[in-house]
């Protein structure tokens, strides 16, 4: 996060290259999974830290995916097509 208190990261529980978004504190061990799609890439925080943007369903073939906005607590916004 911009204030350095939280981090967003991709994690694959099966080490199969299929990732979900997790958010946790930078000072204690408390990471929580905030997506369950196993199809997440390219994570970025908003400047104020209220949103996390990520790409879901990126295709190397069509160069398309959805940009999804999600709150650090897991609340999400309607995805938009990225082309």
């Amino acid at each position: 996060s911009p204030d350095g208190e939280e981090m967003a990261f991709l994690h694959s529980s099966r080490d199969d290259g299929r990732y979900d978004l997790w958010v946790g504190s930078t000072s204690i061990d408390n990471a929580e999974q905030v997506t369950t799609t196993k199809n997440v890439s390219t994570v970025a925080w908003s400047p104020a830290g209220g949103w996390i943007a990520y790409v879901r369903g990126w295709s190397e073939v069509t160069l398309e995916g959805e940009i999804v906005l999600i709150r650090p607590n897991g609340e999400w916004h309607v995805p938009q097509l990225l082309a």
Side-chain angles (χ1 to χ4, degrees):
S1 61
D3 65 6
E5 296 295 319
E6 293 181 290
M7 62 182 164
F9 59 95
L10 301 178
H11 174 68
S12 175
S13 60
R14 296 185 181 161
D15 200 23
D16 60 2
R18 297 179 52 132
Y19 297 100
D20 274 308
L21 175 64
W22 289 66
V23 174
S25 169
T26 57
S27 60
I28 61 173
D29 186 11
N30 72 338
E32 294 186 23
Q33 185 174 352
V34 295
T35 66
T36 58
T37 65
K38 304 228 181 296
N39 201 4
V40 174
S41 62
T42 315
V43 175
W45 286 90
S46 67
W51 292 95
I52 300 170
Y54 68 89
V55 177
R56 176 175 63 195
W58 179 255
S59 169
E60 292 290 332
V61 175
T62 64
L63 302 180
E64 293 180 340
E66 294 175 310
I67 296 175
V68 180
L69 297 177
I70 194 167
R71 296 275 185 190
N73 67 3
E75 293 177 17
W76 63 282
H77 185 69
V78 177
Q80 302 295 314
L81 181 63
L82 171 64

